Amino acid sequence: MRLSDIGIKEIIDLSTGINHGRLWDAEMMFEKSTGKIKAVLVPSLQSTGLFKKGINNMYELPWGSIVIVGDDVIIFRSQPSDSL
């Protein structure tokens, strides 16, 4: 899969239901020694009013917390689930 294929995918937090925008809005962090993706920095969008959202800060999404990369979304879990 190419970066251009995943750049348009929405990033959704399974634990909170928050949409963090598209991967194009994020920054990637790489391991210096291996070049592997370590984490993704995504905008932390929080509601500032009815239907308004603003970028308050960045949220570090560890690459290992990604649950699934679907056709339209990338789903990750920010908090471990005790029920699984």
Side-chain angles (χ1 to χ4, degrees):
M1 182 177 293
R2 296 180 181 179
L3 182 58
S4 60
D5 295 333
I6 63 173
I8 60 172
K9 295 180 186 294
E10 296 284 336
I11 302 171
I12 308 291
D13 185 344
L14 185 62
S15 300
T16 63
I18 293 175
N19 181 337
H20 288 277
R22 298 187 184 277
L23 191 61
W24 286 128
D25 301 329
E27 296 181 28
M28 292 194 177
M29 297 173 59
F30 296 91
E31 289 287 341
K32 236 180 196 180
S33 59
T34 64
K36 291 183 179 181
I37 299 172
K38 179 173 128 181
V40 178
L41 294 174
V42 295
S44 178
L45 301 175
Q46 296 187 1
S47 179
T48 57
L50 191 61
F51 303 116
K52 291 183 180 179
K53 292 185 178 182
I55 298 175
N56 294 334
N57 54 14
M58 299 297 274
Y59 179 81
E60 186 172 333
L61 161 61
W63 193 251
S65 68
I66 294 176
V67 176
I68 191 167
V69 176
D71 291 337
D72 299 322
V73 296
I74 296 172
I75 298 175
F76 73 98
R77 180 176 284 123
S78 63
Q79 301 168 1
S81 175
D82 294 333
S83 61
L84 294 178

